[in-house]
Amino acid sequence: MGITKTEFFTQKQNDTALLMKALGHPARIAIIEYLMSVDACICGDIVNELALAQPTVSQHLKELKNAGLIKGNISGNAICYCIDDTAINTLRGYFLEISDNLEKKKNMCC
Amino acid sequence: MGITKTEFFTQKQNDTALLMKALGHPARIAIIEYLMSVDACICGDIVNELALAQPTVSQHLKELKNAGLIKGNISGNAICYCIDDTAINTLRGYFLEISDNLEKKKNMCC
DNA sequence: TTTGTATATTGCAATATTACGATATAATTT
DNA sequence: AAATTATATCGTAATATTGCAATATACAAA
């Protein structure tokens, strides 16, 4: 059907999946990496950086924003986007937890 | 168009996006968390766990496997799936790096 | 060897995503 | 105010994803 059955999963599982999904496109990875590499962060720079059309970049920025991965401040007639550390820290914690867990039961399986 | 323009991004960006995308669905998050929670790991258990039909679960397992997030060993007429720590460590490292980077330039932007 | 059990594959309908031209909005400059 | 600049939204075509019934495969047990 193409429709995800979110009702069968926990809130946390759905939230985690949404965060990961938002990062599941190279353009959005590139945006995050670009925002990480610069101090100033204006949307126009991202459009120039990405080799995608401006509406496409705008759409990707919107998805990152909806997921809570970036935040945008209006700054004159431009918009300053930057990474939201809350989401990043959530994901950092998530993978640290899995990694620690795997470390503990090394060679217990497969 | 619906087709991702991978040629505009680096190999690493595309690879990272594929890993993230594989985790961008609650069923696949649930599978990873289930594999983490148990010592034995047989596909049938996952089907019982998930409230999704067997072909659907099989498809999600395939995607996780293609992404390198899990590996499967044939064990009799069942298959033993478990988490591949290499991919998890890659993700852990990725988010640690971003997190560290954000820490450094605290309040530099937005 | 037939029957059962476990998993994968195929085929397809419903829905979502990607990309972008055209256009809208909103602040800035002239 | 008109023109310019920066970004968002709309509409739409192409493609991808999700989910599952039906079926195939492959091993195990009787």
Side-chain angles (χ1 to χ4, degrees):
Chain A
M1 290 145 190
I3 191 165
T4 296
K5 298 200 159 180
T6 54
E7 70 273 21
F8 291 159
F9 306 99
T10 66
Q11 181 74 52
K12 190 160 177 290
Q13 284 169 339
N14 285 315
D15 290 349
T16 307
L18 282 179
L19 273 181
M20 294 306 286
K21 190 177 182 181
L23 291 172
H25 190 288
R28 296 194 289 268
I29 290 289
I31 289 171
I32 292 289
E33 293 182 354
Y34 181 65
L35 288 180
M36 201 175 60
S37 77
V38 294
D39 290 338
C41 42
I42 309 295
C43 178
D45 295 351
I46 301 174
V47 171
N48 295 336
E49 195 73 8
L50 279 207
L52 290 173
Q54 178 268 323
T56 307
V57 174
S58 188
Q59 191 175 282
H60 283 305
L61 286 167
K62 191 180 178 183
E63 279 173 69
L64 285 171
K65 201 175 167 191
N66 284 344
L69 280 156
I70 63 174
K71 45 193 174 180
N73 291 74
I74 294 172
S75 157
N77 74 342
I79 293 188
C80 173
Y81 279 112
C82 49
I83 298 176
D84 189 326
D85 52 348
T86 308
I88 295 294
N89 287 337
T90 300
L91 290 172
R92 189 195 56 182
Y94 188 77
F95 289 107
L96 275 173
E97 196 183 319
I98 298 182
S99 181
D100 284 355
N101 214 296
L102 291 181
E103 195 69 36
K104 269 182 219 158
K105 53 174 137 179
K106 201 133 196 146
N107 298 321
M108 294 278 281
C109 177
C110 300
Chain B
M1 292 145 195
I3 191 165
T4 297
K5 298 200 158 180
T6 54
E7 70 273 20
F8 290 160
F9 306 99
T10 67
Q11 181 74 51
K12 190 158 177 292
Q13 286 169 336
N14 285 315
D15 290 349
T16 305
L18 283 179
L19 265 185
M20 306 283 189
K21 191 177 180 181
L23 291 174
H25 191 289
R28 297 194 289 267
I29 290 288
I31 289 172
I32 292 290
E33 293 182 355
Y34 180 65
L35 288 181
M36 201 174 61
S37 77
V38 293
D39 290 340
C41 43
I42 309 295
C43 179
D45 296 352
I46 302 173
V47 171
N48 295 337
E49 195 72 9
L50 278 206
L52 290 173
Q54 178 268 322
T56 307
V57 174
S58 187
Q59 189 175 283
H60 284 306
L61 286 167
K62 191 179 178 184
E63 278 173 69
L64 286 170
K65 201 175 167 191
N66 284 344
L69 280 155
I70 64 174
K71 44 193 172 179
N73 289 75
I74 294 171
S75 157
N77 75 341
I79 293 187
C80 173
Y81 278 112
C82 51
I83 298 176
D84 189 327
D85 52 347
T86 308
I88 296 294
N89 287 337
T90 299
L91 289 169
R92 187 194 57 180
Y94 191 78
F95 289 111
L96 275 173
E97 196 183 319
I98 299 181
S99 181
D100 284 355
N101 215 295
L102 291 180
E103 196 70 35
K104 267 180 220 160
K105 53 173 137 181
K106 202 130 197 149
N107 298 320
M108 292 280 282
C109 180
C110 298

